[in-house]
């Protein structure tokens, strides 16, 4: 399996292009070598604190019916800042998908990052009738900026597997990304007034 660092290096030469804006969130995309799907980057500014947003993105690992398309979640392994979960999702347009994902929370001074990548070798076999997602990676980055704001960045690359044409899912992936940003932002805490 190619690591998150290696995949990031492979796409490092490709420039992001603006793909739109929705509800205050800038949407950008860039090509991924040997894939018909693009890597997406979502950015916005918020008055929520970096750490509270990072904690919201890392979550508690339990099933949350408010998460888009999530049907089931099981914690496979867990420590204070790293977790492996097995997820089943029921996305629109395509058949049911499942994957195992490793998430890591990394505090970097006043900033915080939460990375995630497929780790299917750590979980159960895919049930009959489900398509295993093997190409999934990305991160959340929360950085303080001037004026007491936080820059929220969400980067994700997913190849849903199967023989799906990209045009059938890219619009939904962009909408889903904006929904994730707004959900994490709503769960963060505002900075205290000085």
């Amino acid at each position: 399996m190619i690591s998150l660092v290696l995949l990031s290096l492979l796409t490092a030469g490709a420039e992001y292009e603006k793909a739109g804006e929705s509800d205050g969130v800038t949407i950008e995309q860039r090509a991924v070598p040997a894939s018909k799907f693009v890597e997406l980057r979502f950015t916005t500014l918020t008055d929520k604190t970096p750490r509270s947003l990072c904690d919201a993105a890392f979550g508690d690992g339990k099933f949350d019916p408010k998460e888009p398309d999530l049907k089931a979640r099981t914690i496979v392994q867990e420590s204070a800042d790293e977790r492996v979960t097995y997820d089943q999702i029921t996305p629109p347009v395509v058949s049911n998908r499942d994957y195992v994902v490793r998430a890591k929370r990394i505090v970097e001074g006043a900033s915080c990052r939460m990375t995630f990548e497929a780790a299917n070798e750590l979980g159960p076999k895919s049930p009959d009738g489900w398509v295993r997602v093997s190409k999934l990676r990305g991160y959340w980055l929360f950085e303080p900026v001037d004026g007491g704001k936080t820059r929220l960045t969400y980067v994700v690359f997913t190849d849903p597997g199967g023989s799906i044409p990209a045009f059938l899912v890219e619009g939904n992936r962009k909408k889903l990304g904006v929904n994730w940003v707004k959900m994490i932002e709503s769960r963060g805490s505002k900075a205290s007034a000085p």
Side-chain angles (χ1 to χ4, degrees), residues 95 119 156 173 192:
S95 58
V156 62
R173 288 182 61 225
S192 303

Side-chain angles (χ1 to χ4, degrees), residues 46-50 52 147-150 188-194:
T46 178
D47 61 355
K48 307 298 176 75
T49 65
S52 72
K149 300 278 189 185
T150 298
S189 301
K190 290 188 178 183
S192 303

Side-chain angles (χ1 to χ4, degrees), residues 109-130:
S111 298
C112 190
R113 175 183 301 261
M114 200 279 288
T115 65
F116 57 91
E117 65 182 329
N120 291 320
E121 70 281 2
L122 300 176
K125 180 180 177 257
S126 192
D128 289 342
W130 290 73

Side-chain angles (χ1 to χ4, degrees), residues 5-34:
V5 173
L6 181 57
L7 282 172
S8 295
L9 291 172
L10 290 173
T11 57
E15 294 292 323
Y16 281 103
E17 298 174 357
K18 188 167 182 179
E21 195 159 324
S22 178
D23 202 11
V25 178
T26 300
I27 306 164
E28 298 169 293
Q29 64 185 36
R30 68 178 174 182
V32 173

Side-chain angles (χ1 to χ4, degrees), residues 86-103:
Y86 169 65
D87 290 359
Q88 292 181 334
I89 59 171
T90 55
V93 183
V94 300
S95 58
N96 294 337
R97 301 295 198 255
D98 74 339
Y99 52 84
V100 179
V101 66
R102 173 187 286 123

Side-chain angles (χ1 to χ4, degrees), residues 44-103:
T44 193
L45 290 177
T46 178
D47 61 355
K48 307 298 176 75
T49 65
R51 184 58 194 254
S52 72
L53 290 163
C54 198
D55 291 346
F58 189 67
D60 64 7
K62 296 177 183 168
F63 173 77
D64 182 350
K66 293 179 184 173
E67 289 188 26
D69 304 332
L70 186 63
K71 177 182 169 58
R73 171 172 291 146
T74 304
I75 297 173
V76 177
Q77 298 174 8
E78 186 172 34
S79 65
D81 290 311
E82 186 171 342
R83 180 181 304 119
V84 176
T85 57
Y86 169 65
D87 290 359
Q88 292 181 334
I89 59 171
T90 55
V93 183
V94 300
S95 58
N96 294 337
R97 301 295 198 255
D98 74 339
Y99 52 84
V100 179
V101 66
R102 173 187 286 123

